[in-house]
Amino acid sequence: MIVRRTAFLLALVVAASASDITEEELLPDPHLLGGVVRSFGDFPAAAFIVTPGREICGAAVVDERHVVTLAQCVLNGTYHTINPRLLRVNAGDIRIIPVSHTRQSRLGLAVYVHPHFKSHSLENDIAVIRLQEPFHLPSNEVEPAFRRTRIVPNNHPCHLVGWGQITTTGTTIDYNQRSIPQTVNDRDQCTNLRRIRPIFESMICAGNLVAAPTGPAPCNGNLGSGLYCDGDLAGLLSYGLNCGLANNPPTFTQIRFFNPWIQQQLTRTDIPPHGWSPLDFAVNNP
């Protein structure tokens, strides 16, 4: 019998071993089209989050107590923060299922969303999660990301790191961690293609501009996955999960623009109440 989505989420929150998660219970979204299977230690900062809203989102380890992800990943349907205790952060594993003995899984303690996140344009789409318990570091499988501080030039080769693979017909092949090449595009070119939603300076546009029916391309479910350039975390996948379609290139929150903000969150002493909304903040702080 197929387990309901809510039951799966509760099961995953308490899961501690491979036997707790079955293929039937796995949500169908975490997929890439094409890509190369990665090995333990290739991208030790890569993590994924299980949430009540978006189920699985990508993230990256910042230090032993924090990960960085998208604002979208920690906000509910009305753009209010999810209770951090319902967020489970997983690092040190290259598979969604079965769970590896190297996986380090932690619940959230606090969620810090960028106060100027804009839902219509997805500007400032970034958040930091503080963990209830620290990751065990140093570790061969879990390491903090080296965050990019320099501009990533046009035509620069990078890699998107996510989980899962599907065929062109949508059939699931596996749930392994994979990377796909993503060449950085000119922002103006991407804006002209998409038109409805411009690419701002705080974003990176990368990946396929024309149809790529066999990939490589991100599909629905790899929101928040990291873009790594020269080994550094350069972006988080914010939108444009085109799964090989044309004129909707993958677009990333650009990490270098937010490094000072990320650093400020690491030393905050307050814990914002769950249910806080950056949209409410914008109304009260025009």
Side-chain angles (χ1 to χ4, degrees):
M1 180 177 67
I2 296 179
V3 178
R4 291 181 180 271
R5 174 169 295 189
T6 53
F8 165 76
L9 290 171
L10 291 173
L12 195 50
V13 166
V14 299
S17 66
S19 61
D20 290 321
I21 304 174
T22 68
E23 187 165 338
E24 284 186 333
E25 292 175 314
L26 185 67
L27 293 168
D29 288 340
H31 299 313
L32 298 170
L33 192 62
V36 176
V37 175
R38 307 310 310 192
S39 300
F40 283 102
D42 285 354
F43 292 93
F48 66 90
I49 306 164
V50 179
T51 82
R54 294 190 179 273
E55 288 82 43
I56 293 177
C57 260
V61 177
V62 176
D63 63 16
E64 68 275 6
R65 291 298 298 265
H66 299 88
V67 298
V68 63
T69 186
L70 297 181
Q72 293 182 74
C73 292
V74 295
L75 297 174
N76 63 21
T78 60
Y79 298 103
H80 291 80
T81 54
I82 298 168
N83 186 334
R85 296 179 184 277
L86 299 179
L87 302 175
R88 178 167 287 277
V89 181
N90 300 286
D93 205 340
I94 57 172
R95 293 185 294 268
I96 295 176
I97 56 171
V99 176
S100 301
H101 73 278
T102 58
R103 178 177 296 189
Q104 298 190 40
S105 190
R106 303 288 187 269
L107 294 177
L109 176 65
V111 171
Y112 303 111
V113 177
H114 198 289
H116 300 298
F117 169 71
K118 298 180 180 179
S119 59
H120 62 284
S121 63
L122 296 181
E123 293 174 82
N124 308 308
D125 188 9
I126 193 165
V128 168
I129 301 174
R130 180 172 296 166
L131 309 176
Q132 291 186 21
E133 298 180 7
F135 290 127
H136 298 303
L137 300 178
S139 165
N140 290 332
E141 292 81 21
V142 182
E143 291 182 9
F146 292 97
R147 286 177 274 145
R148 184 86 179 190
T149 59
R150 296 178 291 111
I151 293 173
V152 184
N154 291 346
N155 301 315
H156 196 75
C158 300
H159 287 89
L160 169 68
V161 178
W163 277 269
Q165 188 188 37
I166 61 172
T167 65
T168 54
T169 60
T171 303
T172 300
I173 298 175
D174 63 44
Y175 304 107
N176 292 314
Q177 185 186 85
R178 288 178 172 266
S179 69
I180 58 176
Q182 301 276 272
T183 301
V184 174
N185 302 313
D186 179 77
R187 287 189 295 108
D188 291 338
Q189 183 182 13
C190 292
T191 295
N192 290 335
L193 280 174
R194 187 180 282 115
R195 297 183 181 179
I196 297 175
R197 180 175 284 161
I199 311 296
F200 294 94
E201 189 178 2
S202 60
M203 300 174 178
I204 294 175
C205 176
N208 58 300
L209 300 175
V210 298
T214 59
C219 302
N220 187 32
N222 267 288
L223 195 72
S225 294
L227 181 72
Y228 293 83
C229 305
D230 305 316
D232 297 338
L233 178 68
L236 298 171
L237 182 60
S238 179
Y239 61 96
L241 289 79
N242 60 33
C243 210
L245 299 179
N247 302 327
N248 187 26
T251 302
F252 302 79
T253 297
Q254 187 169 184
I255 289 294
R256 74 178 185 90
F257 264 80
F258 298 98
N259 275 326
W261 181 84
I262 293 171
Q263 202 63 32
Q264 290 171 2
Q265 310 318 300
L266 307 186
T267 57
R268 283 179 64 169
T269 58
D270 65 309
I271 298 180
H274 68 269
W276 180 88
S277 174
L279 305 189
D280 295 340
F281 179 87
V283 170
N284 297 322
N285 298 270

